[in-house]
Amino acid sequence: MRFTIILLITLLIFTVFVMRTNQQQEFHPSKGEQLVNATLASAAQTIKEKYDIKPCGSGAAMPGGPIQELILCFDTKHPYSKWQLRELLIKSAKELLNQINENDEIQEFLKERPFTIKNVEVIIYNHDENGRCLCDPEISTARISQTVLIYRTVDPQDSFKFKNEYEESYEEALKALSTH
């Protein structure tokens, strides 16, 4: 019995020591990751201030080190039309591109220089005034990715399914904006 108690106390002390050691390990992002984080934060803040949309996420595709794509996500505060979403996607993507291409420090970490519209992704989650998701026929999500703009509507009968999806190329979207 005494041996069991000593063994349990020893295991407890060992476990506490191991847990404390693991908690003390720190993560130090690479210079490239630091630049990505700073660039995304700066671009998100600028877009928020210019267009009154709320940043809700960001990301990067950088397998093995070189940055291949940067991503920003936003929530709207009220419903936007397809035309408004198109304009917002293009302006936001251009703002992100400008911040990347004007940053001399990040250039050495980019897979392609300069970054183009195919290297950025912007997603906008379209909401009503109460922050709820919109259902078909209104657009619930809009995104620009790989030079394609995609607009999706949610099925009112099943909010986990998209009902409709509309696509247009970046060039088509620019043309539509210029004729409006």
Side-chain angles (χ1 to χ4, degrees):
M1 177 74 170
R2 187 173 204 191
F3 177 75
T4 306
I5 293 174
I6 291 173
L7 182 62
L8 287 174
I9 291 173
T10 305
L11 285 174
L12 180 64
I13 291 171
F14 179 74
T15 303
V16 169
F17 176 75
V18 169
M19 289 176 70
R20 262 182 71 90
T21 303
N22 287 341
Q23 289 175 354
Q24 291 174 353
Q25 293 176 351
E26 294 180 24
F27 172 72
H28 297 285
S30 69
K31 178 71 172 172
E33 291 169 325
Q34 291 173 17
L35 289 167
V36 163
N37 292 339
T39 302
L40 288 172
S42 174
Q45 184 63 33
T46 301
I47 292 167
K48 175 186 177 184
E49 291 170 4
K50 280 186 174 181
Y51 308 115
D52 195 30
I53 54 177
K54 181 182 169 193
C56 65
S58 64
M62 47 192 299
I67 304 163
Q68 296 178 17
E69 183 179 53
L70 293 178
I71 306 154
L72 285 175
C73 304
F74 298 91
D75 288 323
T76 64
K77 296 177 182 178
H78 56 82
Y80 284 75
S81 68
K82 182 179 180 181
W83 190 90
Q84 291 169 316
L85 288 166
R86 176 187 295 127
E87 181 179 40
L88 200 51
L89 284 172
I90 289 174
K91 286 181 176 181
S92 298
K94 284 183 177 181
E95 181 62 43
L96 178 56
L97 272 175
N98 287 341
Q99 294 220 12
I100 296 165
N101 290 325
E102 291 175 2
N103 183 335
D104 292 333
E105 284 186 283
I106 204 170
Q107 296 306 305
E108 69 180 272
F109 299 98
L110 301 177
K111 184 170 182 173
E112 297 178 23
R113 289 178 289 276
F115 253 30
T116 66
I117 198 68
K118 73 177 185 171
N119 301 106
V120 296
E121 181 172 350
V122 175
I123 303 168
I124 299 173
Y125 300 102
N126 203 17
H127 299 285
D128 67 13
E129 291 83 0
N130 297 314
R132 290 188 293 248
C133 182
L134 300 172
C135 292
D136 190 73
E138 295 182 86
I139 296 169
S140 62
T141 62
R143 81 174 204 223
I144 183 168
S145 176
Q146 299 292 312
T147 70
V148 176
L149 283 78
I150 301 166
Y151 311 92
R152 291 181 171 162
T153 67
V154 169
D155 186 338
Q157 306 303 321
D158 186 350
S159 63
F160 294 106
K161 290 184 181 177
F162 290 115
K163 184 171 182 178
N164 291 302
E165 181 174 291
Y166 311 97
E167 290 187 14
E168 62 186 347
S169 71
Y170 180 68
E171 292 77 22
E172 290 170 329
L174 286 175
K175 187 176 179 181
L177 285 179
S178 67
T179 60
H180 192 272

